Amino acid sequence: LDSKLVDDLVFYSVIGLILGARLGYIVFYNLEFYLQNPLNIIYVWEGGLSFHGGLIGIIIATLYTSKIYKTLFFELSDLICVSAPVGIFLGRVSNFINGELYGRPSSTFFGIIFPNADNQYRHPSQLYEAFFEGILLFIILNISIFFFKTLSRPGYVSGLFLTLYGVFRFLVEFSREPDIQVGYIYNFLTMGMVLSIPMIISGIIIMTVASKKQ
């Protein structure tokens, strides 16, 4: 990959990440509010970003870059997925420091009292995500590359990332407090769970196809 391709990929990915994360939050988590208050869409300093929306934004940016440079999309997406857990880890640690996206009530053994919540002990779900979606996912992806040469099968690493992130996020959602304006879907599922299911399905399909094609 030449340096100009990498520069453009980073540039478009940053734009795609920011716009996608913001629009994803608006559409998936608080559409009614923003339809009534459209000016608040630009108030990004008030919070409101969605990982799944950011993922869609990066996918679009990568597709655009691959078309410009006539490069295989999955060759670029695999490299992005290898490093993505580092950003996810730092993002979740930041959520913990800011006392946001905290977990559901828990016992004192697993619980932390968050200043921005109430006086209940709550799961530090941000740290759970930092470990599973950041550290563990990073280790698994890099083991697959160095020991199983998965980069030789374009798309496999991307599929593995989608599958594992989706599974980890789905499981951690059981300990995470759902967004108050969304609540539970069918009294059981959270929006994070719902959005993770297509990731898991897509990841499995991509890995299956990549395994059959060199």
Side-chain angles (χ1 to χ4, degrees):
L1 301 178
D2 63 60
S3 59
K4 191 174 188 308
L5 185 156
V6 175
D7 288 343
D8 285 350
L9 179 61
V10 171
F11 175 75
Y12 294 129
S13 293
V14 170
I15 295 177
L17 174 64
I18 296 173
L19 292 179
R22 184 58 173 170
L23 292 175
Y25 178 81
I26 293 169
V27 174
F28 298 142
Y29 290 93
N30 216 352
L31 181 59
E32 183 178 351
F33 171 80
Y34 287 103
L35 287 177
Q36 297 174 358
N37 305 275
L39 190 61
N40 287 67
I41 292 176
I42 63 175
Y43 294 172
V44 293
W45 55 87
E46 294 183 353
L49 299 174
S50 163
F51 168 85
H52 296 91
L55 175 65
I56 294 173
I58 289 184
I59 289 174
I60 295 173
T62 307
L63 275 169
Y64 179 72
T65 306
S66 67
K67 292 296 182 182
I68 292 178
Y69 288 93
K70 296 180 173 56
T71 305
L72 190 62
F73 166 79
F74 281 121
E75 289 182 346
L76 299 181
S77 66
D78 284 352
L79 296 178
I80 292 174
C81 288
V82 171
S83 58
V86 177
I88 295 173
F89 170 80
L90 295 174
R92 294 310 179 193
V93 171
S94 298
N95 292 147
F96 176 75
I97 293 173
N98 292 335
E100 57 196 9
L101 304 181
Y102 44 77
R104 305 180 193 183
S106 72
S107 64
T108 56
F109 182 75
F110 284 103
I112 291 177
I113 296 178
F114 290 95
N116 298 334
D118 45 32
N119 289 322
Q120 295 187 77
Y121 284 93
R122 292 180 173 274
H123 284 283
S125 56
Q126 315 96 322
L127 298 184
Y128 300 163
E129 291 193 69
F131 174 75
F132 287 104
E133 301 163 11
I135 296 174
L136 186 57
L137 184 55
F138 180 82
I139 292 173
I140 293 174
L141 292 178
N142 281 275
I143 286 176
S144 76
I145 290 173
F146 289 107
F147 291 97
F148 299 99
K149 310 300 181 184
T150 49
L151 281 181
S152 64
R153 289 168 282 167
Y156 192 91
V157 174
S158 298
L160 185 60
F161 172 87
L162 291 173
T163 303
L164 292 179
Y165 180 92
V167 170
F168 292 153
R169 176 66 181 270
F170 190 95
L171 295 176
V172 172
E173 284 287 324
F174 283 105
S175 68
R176 180 171 163 177
E177 187 75 15
D179 292 71
I180 189 171
Q181 72 276 10
V182 178
Y184 292 99
I185 301 172
Y186 300 118
N187 298 317
F188 171 71
L189 297 172
T190 66
M191 181 58 71
M193 291 177 175
V194 172
L195 295 174
S196 294
I197 292 174
M199 288 184 66
I200 298 172
I201 296 173
S202 301
I204 293 173
I205 294 173
I206 293 171
M207 281 194 297
T208 302
V209 174
S211 297
K212 295 179 179 179
K213 289 186 177 182
Q214 293 297 324

